[in-house]
Structures are given as structure tokens and as C-alpha cells.
Amino acid sequence: MSSSFSVLRVGISFVMMCIFYMSAVDSLPELSPQKFFSTLQPGKATLAYFCQADFPSTSVFLEELNEADKPLQDYGISVTKVNCVTEETSRYCGSEKNLMKAYLFRGHILLREFPTDTLFDVDAIVAHVLFALLFNEVKYITTLGDLQNTENALKGKANIAFSYVRAIGTPEHRAVMEAAFVYGTTYQFVLTTEIALLQSIGTEDIEYAHLYFFHCKPVLDLTQQCRRTLMEQSLTTLNIHRFIKTMEAPLLTEVAEDPQQVSTVHLQLGLPLVFIVSQQATYEADRTTAEWVAWRLLGKAGVLLLLRDSLEVDFPQNANVVFKRAEEGVPVEFLVLNNIDLIVSRVESNMHIEEMHEDEDNDIEGPDMDIQDDEVAETVYRDRKRQLPLELTVELTEETFNATVTASDSIVLFYAGWQAVSMAFLQSYIDVAIKLKGTSTMLLTRVNCADWSHVCAKQNVTEFPVVKMYKEGENPVSYAGMLGTEDLLKFIQLNRISCPANITSVQEAEEYLSGKLHKDLVSYSSVSVLGLFSPTMTTAKEEFTEAGNYLKGCVITGIYSEEDVLTLSNKYAVTLPALLLARHKEGKIESISLANVHAQEIVQIITNASLEIFPEITVENLPTYLRLQKPLLILFSDGSINPQHKKAILTLLKEKHLDSLTPCWLNLKNTPVGRGILQAYFDTLPPLPLLAVVNLHSGGQVFAFPSDQAITEQNLLLWLKKLEAGLESHIKILPAQKWKPPLPAYDFLSMMDAATSQHPTRKVPECIKETDVQENDKEQPEDKSAIRNERTGTLRTKHWNRSNWFEEAKKQFRHDNKELCSKAS
Amino acid sequence: MGLSAAALLWGLPGLLLIIALHPAFSPCPAQASVPAHRDYCVLGAGPAGLQMAYFLQRAGRDYAVFERAPGPGSFFTRYPRHRKLISINKRYTGKANAEFNLRHDWNSLLSHDPRLLFRHYSNAYFPDAGDMVRYLGDFADRLGLHVLYNTTIAHVTLNKDQRAWNGHYFILTDQKGQAYQCSVLLVATGLSVPNQVDFPGSEYVDGYESVSVDPEDFVGQNVLILGRGNSAFETAENILGVTNFIHMLSRSRVRLSWATHYVGDLRAINNGLLDTYQLKSLDGLLESDLTDLAIVKDHEGKFHVTLKFFLEEGDRSADAVPLPQDDNDNFALRVAYDRVIRCLGWSFDFSIFSKSLRLSAGGELSKKYPLVKASYESKGSRGLFVLGTASHSVDYRKSAGGFIHGFRYTVRAVHRLLEQRHHGVTWPSTEHPITQLASAIIRRVNEASGLYQMFSVLADVVLLEENATAFEYLEEFPMQALAQLETITGRRARHGLFVINMEYGRNFSGPDKDVFFYDRSVGHTEDAWLSNFLHPVIYYYRHLPTEQEVRFRPAGWPLPRPTAIHHIVEDFLTDWTAPVGHILPLRRFLENCLDTDLRSFYAESCFLFALTRQKLPPFCQQGYLRTQGLVGTESLRQHGVESGLLWDYATVGRGDSGQQPGDHGPGQHPLAPGPPVSPFDSNKEEL
């Protein structure tokens, strides 16, 4: 819906732009009097301004005249400036006094002369000129008698467009005259500036210009009054045009086809259609109703009688009204509206929206602050009605919390029902519960901190979500991994064994290193770590144990410190204390000496060792590799990596050519978001595979390996050398802009100011606002306060239809009530 | 500055030790001459005194409570005379959240013991005063509070001493002449002196404190009640059905608590007389200045109301004294009364405090309270704090500080101040990354009872760290003392702060206001500033306001003019958790104050940003980059794609070479930051 509105908007602004464009072209032709009169063509109207060249006081008028040139030309009226400075004289040049006048000619005949002060602006010029030319088409009246006479004279013959404008030369007057120019031959235009006349025909709100359509043509009985339809929109050329078009359209059309397909002039004019559903049995009554509705909605909507019996489309049985909006692609609405007022109010409320949309064009186009732009909040909200199998996890309360977590090993998710991030994670948590169903000794539980804030506070949980593991005899451990199913599952699984696990025999140690001991777990941990200590190395063992504890849930660690530990240290050629690192995927075992290394360093060693040398980069593991703070060398691949490419890079790695980089590859099949990255780098998706160096940490340059070269060791090495030497130019520099507020906020302070200073919010001049808000420095949002402030006014109405359905419903309810009351009384 | 303050605080314990040891090692142990020392002395074992005792006890402080009666809460053993408390004992709210439930529990004191909730003591919505006495007794016993009962402090003086925490000790002397030396004096004696008006004939008047509560004593009588507070109406309510009529006379018009939103004004539960007055049932209300009044007794023992000024001329018997009706035969109070009852409230008992304490009367509105600062410390002497009902001058006729459900929080605030001032324990706070800011605020405004009960008096404060990457959250700080925040809390406010307050709409509350007017409620977020019912208001300051700024704040504002302000639109259910109605506008406000993007993102978005931008939004920085990204599930992803906030990358660029979905610029993620300068031109098309 909004899209088609914007189409409408674009359309309107296009029209406006054309007008502006045309009026803004170069200046008027300047002629001498003699030349001027020789150019006058019979029947053609010309507005001429006679003046002394560069007479200073006339310049403002000239500007306006200049601007009026184009619109007048559209009506076939040319505008000319006649210079009287030259030797020749004309009676129009005449005296000093005459310099202030403009003359309207048709051919050589002088129609009117205008003192320049009546032509104070473009609107006035166009209005006056057309008024003079359309003397016959537009009847100017001053009394009610005149109006009645005209009305009587035209009964049975023609319809009347009667308008009241506050003064001649106003923009409204111009709009009426422009309409008269087009429709003057079809309808009798009647114009007045007398308020009394307007009042006498019963208009309440007399401050504004009005246009009535008098339906005199169908009136055959002279004693009968012509029906009147008031145009409710403001008097602009476009609105009058639209209004008159609808007056011309048939009052009521009968159709027997799918309402979705029906189109009338109303739709083209941006007005909705109202179908009154009729059945054969009630046809007469329905038609009367429909006519009645049609009169009420004349100028606001098209009314059609939909003959249901011959209709092949299916629609709700009880619907008696079908409402079709003007916007394309909006499905029709089937309504049950039991009285005419409801139908009318339905249309009027819809019009209200439309008008507001039009109004917006005048304002600065404001983004909607009420539209959710937080992806997590929005997705969680959209998913709110889905029933999660929450029963797979145990809900804990103040009463049950302590008993539960002490009775069994438990994972507790602390979340808050209103907090989007924790609710998003709750879904992954439930997925973990589904995967672990019946297999885990670990109890999966959850606490809604919105209900049990004291429980959460006691567990030191003051933000959400938090996952903690409670194991008997141990301090609770906070989970610090990715908030997703896979990582949490890994954490839970790896926590099934104690870390470090105590290995008791050489054979067990070998099984441990080969991955046989924890067969089911090795898939969760890329490495298994075994600490080797002689039984006397207590400090070293403690340090290692501490590190193992710290890494609990991330890496499998084990410890071996039996008497025969030398068997192992000899086998792996390492001096004690040491650790052995088994990479299961690659089937390799590395050894690292641990002499005088503290727990923290051990953690660091193990963490670094568990990094792969040429990893497939994924959403989950990127942060770990970013920590290395090196530029990334990424091989983008659509599917698994080409072994040759892999080999080339591994060779370069081995030869230490890639030490300053983090080489990795990205599989678009596993990580489709990689396409988004490629698009950011190349604008269009390049052919794959593709190699790029991304310097994230300093400068943000992206370099692409030439796509016409094969990815071989030599080419790559050469390219990297050139790159290092600064000989390659980057294809892109990643934007370094800060993350600013995506949208402004409501500026309540200014609204409060505006309210106290009695200024209407809409028209607060910016300068005032800025000075009184800007007490402090200038970098903060207030400098936009005034604009924002103004915008909020429009924002409210803009989303009227979206957020105000309730109001709307209330309104209808009130209508219903009114109906009830009047029936009761 | 920070250092020297800390040094000072470190010095204190040593000093304390000396003071404490001094009497013990003294060669000749003094008898009555050496006063027993206490760091904290609490006067009065009413609700406020016990509440303070609880906090002191929990903190392990050296304290004693002095109570003249044999048990706690002696006020409630006699008052209210008709035994019905008008503080709400709401046992059910439909919520499990204990903190939230305290919003609707007006009788409990704060403690860690859930058994000490008043709902376990009474089933009545308006409970009996006897239950309160029982409750307070249990509170003191169960928590083992140190209360010296039957100890009437007859006199309090000041003794200058350089070694004392505040440069002086408070010397308390009890009825037996025993003296106590206190470093800090916490006065929680409530209002104990019945207000009296001195006018001719006031000796004929029964006081509320002693008038009969047996309706039988009023059968067929004409009764005049002086006063228009809850005690006056409570008295009237009791005898409404048996009297001929009741007239009620007071200085100013009745103030209905449901119109003023002040619980000390006339509560609906007591307003039966208003009903009968307006329903023409002979009862009536009149306004007149009581000090002009005189009452004369006629030969039948009936009372006539006249004016003091008439009495100056002659003798006092009713038959001789001129009465207003002599001149003005339709004078309203021309009827003779059988009884006149005075129900004019109570005042603070200043009599026991020596002049040296400079404990003076006269809050702005009422003389019945001692003058205190916003921190509840006496303006006259440092180290003397007024707690409980007597401390109500701070928020008289505004908030709940004169009532249990309000002062239980102000007592806690005073205790936190003392912990910082004398023990170097900074005001409790939690520290969070900036991405948690909206959540932290939403959590508090939805459950915090102190903010809710002590609206516009206690406010939460968010102190921003440098660069606004993290913040500290402080709860329930006395907002009028905002300028002194750093000294009171021991925390630094150098990089801007938010103050979270709860407020009624301006001009909504008042004795003459129509609080039921049509359209009184606001539903649109952009009209939130016009909200009338209690709703959260957030003030943003770039710098801590100065004392001057607080004092000379704009009229009607609880705080000085902020840099920016946000109102969370009022909510019928006081549930401010609506994603778009409440949280989103709050987030936008915080973002614009901090000039950053506080949206949350899935790990996939962070991944994209990490590889396509040099800077990441705070949520990705503080979560994803620390390997704590939010992965999300497939169904959520699907919703994201449908909403247009996420892209289905699997289909991006397939087939048609590089054609972007929608009108997005090349590679521009729909959530990526807009052009840095103007938020106006951003994604018109996208929306």
C-alpha cells in the first residue's frame, strides 16, 4: 500500500515540478511599442507591460510577470514587456502614471488595463488575466438574487460550478479560473467574493474558499432546487479538476463482475470505490440505498451497485459492502456496514489518510520513527504467536530454584520475557533441549527474570540473557560462548567430562590423544589437550588445572601425572612439564613445553593452538580469528574449496609467506552471507572462486587477486609481494563511518517548550528553537530539534491507518451507538 | 580528589577503634557520667526506626533504637482511633515479581525475609491497626533488632568533639538520666503532638485522640467536626448513621486523594460524608479560618459557633454573647451543637531537642515537620537525619514520603548515604555495557517499587562511562540532591547521566482538577509527553547539574532543564514492555542522546559488518566480537527476511548478475548505518 501511495506522490510532485520548471525559464521578450503592435495576432491574447527600461520600482512586478509568463503561455496568452525608452511613443507609454499599468489585448483590441498593484503576484496575474478573458464563462455575482436567477435560468440545461473566494487574485481564485478555462464551456461558472452570499446558502465555515457543484441540469421542475455538492478539499487546480471529473461521472453504476477488476474514473483520480452488494430479491431497495449513498459520497468515492446473483466470484456471505481503495494492489475489503453513516464515515476516514499523505509532500519527508528497525526485536515480535515446546525445559521459580540447582547438574537460562535478545536466544535454547532430549544428564532449566527478579539478582544476573551451569560442589560457571544452538550444545556436551580429565594410564592417555576415549565428544572440540607432569610438579599441575577449568566447555583437557609419565614424554620428545595437543581432524599431535608457564598463558597457548591455520571462516568462528588482528586473506568459494587452491595456500603458509595474514576461506554454501560481503566489495557478484585481502584493522582496504590469473603459488606470492610493496591498488575501502542513531527521536523537550510558549508546534520557526535549546555544545541532536518537532506532527497522521485502527474502531463504535440512540429515542 | 577522599575514609576505622577502646581502658570506669557510645542512635521504634535498624543491622553497624513504649509501633496501638488503616494491603496482583508486588503493598517494611510481608498478617484490604502492631513486633523480633524499649529520650544535646565523625556527638539523656553518645542521630519519632487551635471555647472541644469511638455516644446529636483530613472523615464515618447531622468545618476546601494523587489527602474509603452532603442528607462541609472561631456554651450545655471578635465585648455565656445569626439570620452554623470534635492532625515533637541542634520547624508548606535537606539531613546539624513520617517536609502533598510505603525507601537511601559517608561503601550499583541500557531502564520502570511509590522524589540514575560504552546503574537516589550525587554516592558522573523518574502529567493532579476528563489518556508514542497517569520520564544531562541549577529549576519541574527528555507513554496496565510503543521510542531517545546505534543484531549481520565495515555497532562489538553473538534460529531468520530487515543471502545475486533486491545501493545492508550526517534522507524507499 505504501508503495502505491508513493507512486501517487511521485506523480503529483512530477506535475508540480513541471510547473515549476516551466515557470522558471528565461525572461520576457522585450519589444519596442512599434514592434509590439506589429506582432499582435488576431484572436490571440497578450498581456503587455509598458515601462521605462530599468525603472527601479517595477522590478518586483517584473519578476512576478516573468514567472507568470509560462503559465499564461499554457493558456495561449503571451506576455510581453514593452520598452518605451526609445524615440517612439504610444498612448500606452503616455504619462508617468501609465507606467504602472499592464494591458491585456486580444488581437489588437484592448480588453482590460490593470494597475500593477492588482497584479501583486503570479497567482494574481494569472487569475486576473483569465478572469478578464473568461468574462462570459465566469459570471461574477454579489447577491443571492443573482445566484437564484442564474440557477433558475440553467435548470434543465446546465450544471453550475459556484465558488466563493475571499478576494480576486488569490491562489484560490486562480485555481477556479484555471478550472473555468478548461470546463467553462461545459458548466456555468459562478464566482462571488461576498461572504453574506455564502452564508445565505448555509455554509457554516465561511473562512475559506468554497466550491459547490449545483446539479441543475437534471432539474426539470422550476420550483425544485438544484442539488448541491460541496467540494471538501482545498481549492487547488488539481482538486477542482478531480472534483469536476467525479461530478461528470455517472452517479451510480451497476456491475456484475469481480470488484477487484472493476475500474472507473474514480480510481484514476485516486478515489476509492464503494460497492453496495445487491441481490435480485432486494434490488429496488438496494438501488435506492446505493443512490442515497452515492449522493452522500459524491466527489469522495465512486459508488457502484454490485449484482451478486450473477457474480462468479466468491465472497463472504454476510458482506454487504465492498470497499476498494484507489491504491493498486490493495485487496478489496468486504465489510458489514449496517447504515449509511458507517459507509460514509468509512470513506471519509480513508480520505483523511489520503489527504495526509498528500500533505506530506509539503513537509520534509520524514522516516517513520515508529517502525521497528531492530532485526532482533522485529523477528521476535513476528514470532510471538508461535508456541515453543517450553515444557522441554524446567521453569524455575523463587521456591524451586535452589532445590533444583543443588539437586542436579543444571543449566539455567536467565531471560526476561519482554527482552527481545533473550527471547530470541530462548528459541535456540529450546532447540538445544530438543536435541538433548532424553540423552543428557544435565537438566535444562530457565528463569524468567521478569517474574523472579529476586532470584536473578541473587544469582548476580542483572542483564539478559545469561546462561549459567550449576554443578554439585562447583561454583556456577557462566557460559560465554555464542548465543546459539550449536555452541551451547558443545558447551553442555564438553562439560559432561571434568576438565581437566584425570588420565590414569599410558594406554588411556593414548586413547585420549587418539580421540577414542571421548569418541562422542571429539567432534565438539577441535583439539584434545593433555598435560604431562611428573607427580611432584604440584604448582605446574595446579596452573594447568586452573587453565583446564577455565577452558571448560570449549576444549577437552586432560592431565596425566603418573610415575610412568616419562614413557609419554619420551615418545613425544618433550621435557616435563609439557602439554600434548591432538588435532583430531588432521591426526597430528603437537607438543609444547610448559616450564614456568602460568595458567593464563596456558589458556592462551591452548586457545591459539586450537585455531586452525587455514580455517573455513564462518559466522561463529570469525571473532576468534579477528582477535589475531591481522589482515584476512579470504578465498571465497561457492561450495567446497578447490584442493589445488588449498594446496597453494598451504604451501605458502608452510613457507611462512603468509605470517602477516590470517588466511582463511569462506564457503558460500555454508555461509551465504558471504554473498553480501562480495557485493559490498565488488558491487556485483564476481565469478568464484576469488581471493581477497581485507585489511580490517588498519585502513579497511580490500584487495582482490586478479580474476584472470590462476590461483597458484607463484601468482599468489607475486601478488602478495606487490601488495606488500604497495604496488597493488585496492578495489574498495571499507566505510569507516560511525554507527549513528538510525533515526531521530521524538524531541519532547521542544514540544513541551512549544506548548508552554503557546506556539502551535507546526509553525515554530527553526531559528527560535535553535537558540533556546542550544545552550550547550552543538554536536548533539538538538540542532535538528525544530525540524524533527515539526515532523512529528505529520508522523502521527501518516500512520493513522496503521496504528490507529483502534481509534478507527472506536469511532465506528460511536457511530453505531449514535444509531442505537436515535433508534431508541 | 578521588584519592584524598578515599584516604580520609580509610583513616576513619582507626579513629573509631580509639574511640571505642577509650572507655574500656579508662583507669576509673565512669558510672553515669560517661555516656554509652553508639555510632548510630535511632529515636523511635516505629516503622521508620525499625526500617533503619534493619539496614544498620544488615550492614553490621553499631546502633541502638530508643523507644519509650514497651513495644514497637506504639502509635498504632492507639491510632487510628477507629482501627482501620487506610494503607492498601493488596495481596494479589497476578504477578510473581516480588519487587513489583511491593508497588501495591503499602504496609510491609523492606527486608530479605519473605515471611515479613504484611500480607501474611492480614487478609483485609484496609487492615486493622492491631495487625500493624503485631507485624512491627515480629519485624523487630525476627530480625533481632537492637531496640531499647521503655526508654524515653527526654533530652538531646550536641557535644562538640573534633574526633567525632561530624565534629560533634549527639548526647541523648533518658528518663533515668542515662546518657548515650551518638555519632549519628536518626530521628524517627513521627508526628506525636496533636494539633490544637487556640480559640475561645476550645476547652469544650473533644480531641480526636480522646473522643469516644462508640457510635452510641452520638445518637441523635448534632455534631461539629473541625478539620477535613482523613482523621476527621474517619471520625464522621463512624457516627454518620446515628447523628442528626454532622457539620465539618475547616480552613480550606477538601482535597480528595484521587484528584491530587497524594495519599495523605482524603481517601475515598473515608468520604461517606461527602456523599451524604452532596445528596442533601443534612450533613455538610464549610470552609472558614478556625482561628477566628469561638465556641460558646448555652445554658442547656449546647454549643454555639460565633466569632472570636464578638466575644471581646462581654461575658462568655451563650445567652449573652452576640452570635452571627443575630445579624445574619441565615448564617450557616446557626444551629446548636451537642458536640464539637477536633481532628486537626499532629505535629513533630520539637521539645526534646536542645537549641544547639538547630532543629527548626517550617517546611515550606507546613510547620509540623522539621526542616531537612533533600538528603533527609537536618539543615541545622550535620549527622542528624530525620526519617519516616517526620521527614515528610521533603515531599509533603506530593509523594509518599510520609507513609510507610514511601519512607521505607527514603530510609534505605539515607542508609546508603551513611554507608558511603562513614564507611566508604559506595552507593550500590551495577555496571553494564551500553547495549543493556534500554533493558536496564525498562526492567526498572516495570518492577521497581521505590521509583513507583516515591515518584518524583527517588529516581534511578545512570552514570555514563567515558565514550558511553558502558554505564553504572544506581537505584533510588534522592533526586533533589542530584547536585551532590558524587559526594553522596562516592561515584563519578563525568560523562553525562540519565535520571529515571516517574511522574504524573503536569496539571493533571490537584484538589480542583477533573481527573476523569474525556481523552485523559494518551496512546500515541509521540504524545507521550502529554501522559497524565504515572509514567516513566527520563532526563538526560551532559553534565551533572549544579546546586544552583537544581534550586532554580523551572517551576513545576522536578529537576533542572535537561539536555533532552523522554516520556514513556502512560500505560493502562503500568506495563511498559511493548516493543514498539515503549521500548523502541526509548531506544531512539537513548541513541540520539549518546549519538550511537543501539539496535541489536544477529551474529550473521555482525559478521557482515565485521567484514564490510571498519566500525561495528556496539551490540556487535560487545557481543559478537567477544564470541557472544546472537545466532538466532531458522524461523526467526525467516521472519527477518519477510520483514525486510534481513536478507536471504542464499538468493542474492543468483542468475541475474548482481541485481539487488529492492532499491538498495550496492551491497548496502538494510540495517547498515545511513549516511553519517543526516538521518533525514535515509532509506525513505526502504520504509
Side-chain angles (χ1 to χ4, degrees), chain B residues 253-271:
Chain B
R253 61 167 289 171
V254 65
R255 297 164 54 93
L256 299 164
S257 64
W258 48 259
T260 59
H261 300 107
Y262 171 63
V263 290
D265 286 330
L266 177 60
R267 298 285 303 286
I269 181 175
N270 279 334
N271 72 8

Coordinates of all heavy atoms in Angstrom, one line a residue, chain B residues 253-271:
Chain B
R253 N -10.7 24.0 51.4 CA -11.5 23.0 50.8 C -10.9 21.6 50.9 O -9.7 21.4 51.1 CB -11.7 23.3 49.3 CG -10.5 23.3 48.5 CD -10.8 23.3 47.0 NE -11.4 21.9 46.6 CZ -11.9 21.7 45.5 NH1 -12.0 22.6 44.5 NH2 -12.4 20.5 45.2
V254 N -11.8 20.6 50.8 CA -11.4 19.3 51.0 C -10.5 18.9 49.8 O -10.8 19.4 48.7 CB -12.6 18.4 51.1 CG1 -13.5 18.3 49.9 CG2 -12.2 16.9 51.5
R255 N -9.5 18.1 50.0 CA -8.6 17.6 48.9 C -8.8 16.1 48.8 O -8.5 15.4 49.8 CB -7.2 18.0 49.3 CG -6.9 19.5 49.3 CD -5.5 19.7 50.0 NE -4.5 19.0 49.4 CZ -3.7 19.5 48.4 NH1 -3.9 20.7 48.0 NH2 -2.8 18.8 47.8
L256 N -9.3 15.7 47.7 CA -9.5 14.3 47.5 C -8.3 13.6 47.0 O -7.7 14.1 46.0 CB -10.7 14.1 46.6 CG -12.0 14.7 47.1 CD1 -13.0 14.9 45.9 CD2 -12.6 13.9 48.2
S257 N -7.9 12.5 47.6 CA -6.6 11.9 47.2 C -6.7 11.4 45.7 O -5.7 11.4 45.0 CB -6.2 10.8 48.1 OG -7.1 9.8 48.1
W258 N -7.9 11.0 45.3 CA -7.9 10.5 43.9 C -7.9 11.7 42.9 O -7.7 11.4 41.7 CB -9.1 9.6 43.7 CG -10.4 10.0 44.1 CD1 -11.1 9.6 45.3 CD2 -11.4 10.9 43.5 NE1 -12.3 10.1 45.4 CE2 -12.5 11.0 44.3 CE3 -11.3 11.7 42.4 CZ2 -13.6 11.8 44.0 CZ3 -12.4 12.5 42.0 CH2 -13.5 12.5 42.8
A259 N -8.0 12.9 43.4 CA -7.8 14.0 42.5 C -6.4 14.6 42.6 O -5.8 15.1 41.6 CB -8.8 15.1 42.8
T260 N -5.8 14.5 43.8 CA -4.5 15.1 44.0 C -3.4 14.0 43.8 O -2.2 14.4 43.7 CB -4.3 15.6 45.4 OG1 -4.6 14.5 46.3 CG2 -5.4 16.7 45.7
H261 N -3.7 12.7 43.8 CA -2.7 11.7 43.7 C -1.8 11.7 44.9 O -0.7 11.2 44.8 CB -2.0 11.7 42.4 CG -2.9 11.5 41.2 ND1 -3.2 12.5 40.4 CD2 -3.6 10.4 40.8 CE1 -4.1 12.1 39.5 NE2 -4.3 10.8 39.7
Y262 N -2.3 12.3 46.0 CA -1.5 12.3 47.2 C -2.2 11.5 48.3 O -3.4 11.8 48.6 CB -1.3 13.8 47.7 CG -0.7 13.9 49.0 CD1 0.6 13.4 49.2 CD2 -1.4 14.5 50.1 CE1 1.2 13.5 50.5 CE2 -0.8 14.6 51.3 CZ 0.5 14.1 51.5 OH 1.1 14.2 52.8
V263 N -1.6 10.5 48.8 CA -2.3 9.5 49.7 C -2.6 10.1 51.0 O -3.5 9.6 51.7 CB -1.4 8.2 49.9 CG1 -1.4 7.4 48.7 CG2 -0.1 8.6 50.4
G264 N -2.1 11.3 51.3 CA -2.4 11.9 52.6 C -3.7 12.7 52.5 O -4.2 13.1 53.6
D265 N -4.2 13.0 51.4 CA -5.4 13.7 51.2 C -6.6 12.7 51.5 O -6.4 11.5 51.7 CB -5.5 14.4 49.9 CG -4.7 15.6 49.8 OD1 -4.4 16.2 50.9 OD2 -4.2 15.9 48.7
L266 N -7.8 13.3 51.5 CA -8.9 12.5 51.8 C -9.1 11.3 50.9 O -9.3 11.4 49.7 CB -10.2 13.3 51.8 CG -11.5 12.5 52.1 CD1 -11.4 11.9 53.5 CD2 -12.7 13.4 52.0
R267 N -9.1 10.1 51.5 CA -9.2 8.9 50.8 C -10.7 8.5 50.6 O -11.5 8.8 51.4 CB -8.5 7.7 51.5 CG -7.0 8.0 51.7 CD -6.2 7.7 50.4 NE -6.5 6.4 50.0 CZ -6.0 5.3 50.6 NH1 -5.1 5.4 51.5 NH2 -6.3 4.1 50.1
A268 N -10.9 7.9 49.5 CA -12.3 7.6 49.1 C -13.0 6.7 50.2 O -14.2 6.8 50.4 CB -12.3 6.9 47.8
I269 N -12.1 5.9 50.8 CA -12.7 5.0 51.8 C -13.4 5.8 53.0 O -14.3 5.3 53.7 CB -11.7 4.0 52.3 CG1 -12.3 3.1 53.4 CG2 -10.5 4.7 52.9 CD1 -11.4 2.0 53.8
N270 N -12.9 7.0 53.2 CA -13.4 7.8 54.3 C -14.5 8.8 53.9 O -14.9 9.6 54.7 CB -12.3 8.5 55.0 CG -11.5 7.6 55.9 OD1 -12.1 6.7 56.4 ND2 -10.3 7.9 56.1
N271 N -14.8 8.9 52.6 CA -15.5 10.1 52.2 C -17.1 9.9 52.2 O -17.7 10.7 51.5 CB -15.0 10.6 50.9 CG -15.4 9.7 49.7 OD1 -16.2 8.7 49.9 ND2 -14.9 9.9 48.5

